[in-house]
Amino acid sequence: MVSNPDTTFPNESETQVSQSRLGREDYLREGLAILEQDGPDHLRIDTLCRRLKATKGSFYHHFSNRNGYISAMLDFWEKATTQHLIEACETETQPSHRFERLLTTSLALPTGPEPALRAWAQNHPDVALAVARTDQQRLEYITGLCRPFSRDAEHAALLARIGYSVFVGAKHLAPPLDNDLLMRMDKELTRLFVRTLDSDSQQTEADESRNE
């Protein structure tokens, strides 16, 4: 896996940055860490500033208010866990290599704040929109990767949704599954997909042969 600092959500001990060096991303990363550890009720300006050893003036230098901060944090999360991952996969020239890159990189990512964000989305419309946007972008990309190995566009979308549902569900299990098991599950799922496609192809050829 290629290390990507944008997908790292540090704990409190890793984020005690001096106030003079605090940047916008320090607040965004710390907010995601708070969300993962304690939930959205603890995502407050005073909590952020206390954990980062910063003044509220420092916070307001980067964000107009809490709602603006939450919007920026959601955008940061979307880019870190989806857009940057897709961009990394697109550096591969072969579709099969893109698919493999997506699997190995996404499965190696820490669970992070995603379960907390999905729970928060149940009662926060802005969070719900961000999660829905992320799911749609991921599914569209995975569908495109599945297309060369599928019967048609509808079948590719179905395979993508099955695989993505397994991925999201696995990330919500407690305790979380280890990466080796996740990789074995994914390889088995891929094998079943390929076997189904081969079986369908053989059946189609047999039907065409009988109709000649």
Side-chain angles (χ1 to χ4, degrees):
M1 173 188 171
V2 177
S3 177
N4 183 350
D6 288 326
T7 57
T8 302
F9 306 118
N11 57 39
E12 182 174 2
S13 63
E14 295 172 322
T15 55
Q16 293 182 348
V17 186
S18 66
Q19 183 180 337
S20 62
R21 289 166 39 220
L22 280 176
R24 182 181 175 88
E25 285 194 6
D26 293 309
Y27 284 98
L28 300 176
R29 293 177 188 278
E30 189 64 27
L32 290 170
I34 292 172
L35 192 62
E36 177 184 358
Q37 296 162 12
D38 303 316
D41 290 343
H42 294 265
L43 194 59
R44 298 188 296 267
I45 296 173
D46 57 345
T47 303
L48 277 166
C49 293
R50 185 177 68 253
R51 286 174 58 129
L52 289 171
K53 299 185 182 300
T55 64
K56 288 187 178 181
S58 173
F59 173 88
Y60 286 113
H61 174 74
H62 298 289
F63 310 99
S64 58
N65 51 41
R66 183 175 182 270
N67 288 337
Y69 170 76
I70 290 174
S71 177
M73 186 187 69
L74 292 172
D75 183 63
F76 178 75
W77 170 74
E78 288 184 61
K79 290 177 179 176
T81 62
T82 304
Q83 294 176 27
H84 293 172
L85 181 57
I86 290 174
E87 289 168 3
C89 293
E90 285 300 296
T91 62
E92 303 289 348
T93 56
Q94 299 295 323
S96 59
H97 293 168
R98 291 190 197 115
F99 198 81
E100 183 179 355
R101 178 76 174 270
L102 178 67
L103 294 179
T104 56
T105 306
S106 60
L107 291 177
L109 288 174
T111 300
E114 188 157 323
L117 280 166
R118 291 185 180 277
W120 194 14
Q122 301 302 310
N123 53 37
H124 194 298
D126 291 340
V127 179
L129 284 174
V131 170
R133 239 184 353 255
T134 296
D135 285 339
Q136 185 64 28
Q137 186 176 14
R138 291 174 179 177
L139 280 169
E140 286 178 356
Y141 186 70
I142 299 169
T143 298
L145 292 181
C146 289
R147 187 66 185 90
F149 316 106
S150 308
R151 294 191 300 269
D152 51 37
E154 183 178 357
H155 188 230
L158 178 61
L159 294 181
R161 188 165 291 277
I162 292 171
Y164 185 59
S165 297
V166 170
F167 169 77
V168 171
K171 291 292 186 179
H172 282 68
L173 293 177
L177 302 179
D178 63 71
N179 288 338
D180 287 341
L181 178 56
L182 282 171
M183 187 63 70
R184 284 164 45 208
M185 289 169 57
D186 189 81
K187 287 182 178 179
E188 180 64 16
L189 191 60
T190 301
R191 187 183 67 82
L192 291 172
F193 285 167
V194 172
R195 189 168 67 182
T196 299
L197 290 173
D198 289 343
S199 176
D200 289 346
S201 177
Q202 292 171 7
Q203 183 62 50
T204 300
E205 291 176 0
D207 292 341
E208 291 174 349
S209 177
R210 283 196 300 268
N211 292 331
E212 288 180 353

